[in-house]
């Protein structure tokens, strides 16, 4: 039985290599992650493999969709007690920072206590966005509420609102470093520093095609370059065992 499985796997691997140029890859990501993880990466990946079809879907149900086989790969927060069929590769520890105009008094501070956010006018993503869910959880723990007169679903609008001084926001520090907006500075938040751990996941009991393996390596390499630019280190420095 084992030999038959090995032969079958080898046949699929050889067939997959032949079909790589015209293969398909379906990826699920959290809302907003495309702005950091995928826009630039997908352009380079497409140039290298122009005949490879890639579908990227933003969803809050990344874990569930990978588990039920709807997606080949998923990029999301590290799940608690994942199913045995799910393989997880840690990518990075994501911290959130205060995004604010450089002419605001708090922009000169090295760090701002989380409690002080309730004194600011904030612009945020909607309640269904992963970032908002994280911040709301921290606010609940601290027993505070944020003043959010404007809510948007797009990163470009949110950045524009901060740029115009309509309000401050809370965004991933890596994203702010990567965008490097001339009129927005990132200030560290303390007590607590909101954060989450991001991973890439797939079904370990399903055949993983060359396209998926290549994409994982390209994603790890891309993240490392972003972190090197911002002086940080990746959680995925070593090669994953695929």
């Amino acid at each position: 039985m084992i030999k038959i499985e090995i032969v079958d796997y080898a046949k699929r691997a050889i067939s997959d290599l032949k079909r790589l140029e015209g293969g398909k890859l379906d990826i699920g990501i959290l809302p907003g992650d495309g702005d950091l993880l995928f826009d630039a990466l997908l352009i380079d990946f497409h140039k290298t493999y122009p005949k490879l079809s890639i579908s990227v879907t933003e969803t809050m149900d990344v874990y569930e969709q990978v588990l039920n086989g709807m997606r080949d790969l998923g990029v999301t927060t590290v799940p608690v007690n994942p199913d045995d069929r799910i393989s997880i590769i840690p990518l990075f520890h994501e911290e959130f920072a205060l995004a604010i105009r450089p002419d605001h008094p708090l922009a000169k501070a090295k760090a701002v206590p989380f409690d002080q956010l309730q004194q600011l006018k904030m612009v945020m993503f909607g309640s269904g966005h992963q970032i908002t869910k994280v911040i709301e959880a921290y606010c609940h723990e601290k027993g505070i509420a944020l003043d959010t007169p404007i809510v948007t679903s797009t990163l470009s609008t949110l950045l524009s609102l901060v740029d115009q001084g309509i309000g401050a926001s809370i965004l991933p520090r890596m994203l702010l470093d990567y965008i490097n907006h001339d009129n927005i500075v990132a200030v560290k938040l303390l007590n607590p520093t909101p954060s989450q751990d991001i991973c890439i996941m797939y079904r370990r009991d399903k055949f993983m095609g060359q396209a998926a393996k290549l994409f994982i390596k390209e994603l790890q390499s891309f993240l490392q370059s972003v972190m090197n630019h911002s002086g940080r280190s990746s959680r995925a420095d070593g090669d994953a065992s695929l």
Side-chain angles (χ1 to χ4, degrees), residues 25 27-29 33 36-42 45 73-76 89-92 174 198-201 211-227 234 236:
L25 185 59
I27 307 167
I29 66 174
D33 277 352
L36 170 61
L37 299 177
F38 289 90
D39 287 354
L41 174 62
L42 284 177
F45 197 76
L73 300 172
V75 178
T76 184
I89 302 173
L91 288 176
F92 61 94
M174 191 194 302
I198 302 297
C199 69
I200 191 164
M201 62 176 60
K213 292 181 180 180
L214 287 168
F215 188 83
I216 290 174
K217 291 186 179 298
E218 290 293 331
L219 175 58
Q220 290 174 315
S221 177
F222 174 73
L223 284 171
Q224 191 61 56
S225 67
V226 172
M227 292 175 182
S234 170

Side-chain angles (χ1 to χ4, degrees), residues 46-209:
H46 175 69
K47 287 179 179 178
T48 305
Y49 306 101
K51 295 182 180 180
L52 181 63
S53 175
I54 302 178
S55 173
V56 177
T57 303
E58 292 193 345
T59 173
M60 289 299 295
D61 301 320
V62 175
Y63 171 81
E64 290 79 9
Q65 292 182 7
V66 172
L67 183 61
N68 65 28
M70 187 182 301
R71 311 288 175 207
D72 299 311
L73 300 172
V75 178
T76 184
T77 54
V78 176
V80 178
N81 299 321
D83 188 283
D84 290 341
R85 293 169 291 176
I86 294 292
S87 184
I88 295 172
I89 302 173
L91 288 176
F92 61 94
H93 180 70
E94 181 172 66
E95 290 189 357
F96 296 91
L98 177 67
I100 200 164
R101 274 178 60 95
D103 57 358
H104 191 283
L106 288 181
K108 303 280 193 297
K110 291 183 178 180
V112 173
F114 189 88
D115 289 349
Q116 198 164 345
L117 294 178
Q118 61 187 325
Q119 301 173 17
L120 301 175
K121 184 174 292 186
M122 305 293 294
V123 291
M124 299 287 290
F125 289 117
S127 58
H129 198 285
Q130 174 64 16
I131 293 176
T132 302
K133 288 180 178 294
V134 171
I135 301 306
E136 286 178 344
Y138 280 97
C139 285
H140 180 72
E141 287 182 9
K142 299 290 288 186
I144 66 174
L146 301 184
D147 178 13
T148 56
I150 299 180
V151 172
T152 180
S153 61
T154 63
L155 176 65
S156 58
T157 301
L158 193 151
L159 292 172
S160 177
L161 292 169
V162 176
D163 181 13
Q164 296 175 55
I166 304 301
S169 190
I170 303 172
L171 289 168
R173 181 62 185 257
M174 191 194 302
L175 174 62
L176 294 170
D177 290 342
Y178 182 67
I179 293 174
N180 194 25
H181 196 294
D182 290 337
N183 213 28
I184 298 176
V185 298
V187 181
K188 186 177 182 67
L189 292 169
L190 291 177
N191 302 319
T193 300
S195 65
Q196 60 184 5
D197 291 311
I198 302 297
C199 69
I200 191 164
M201 62 176 60
Y202 59 92
R203 280 276 296 270
R204 68 172 76 245
D205 60 337
K206 292 181 62 179
F207 175 75
M208 174 177 282

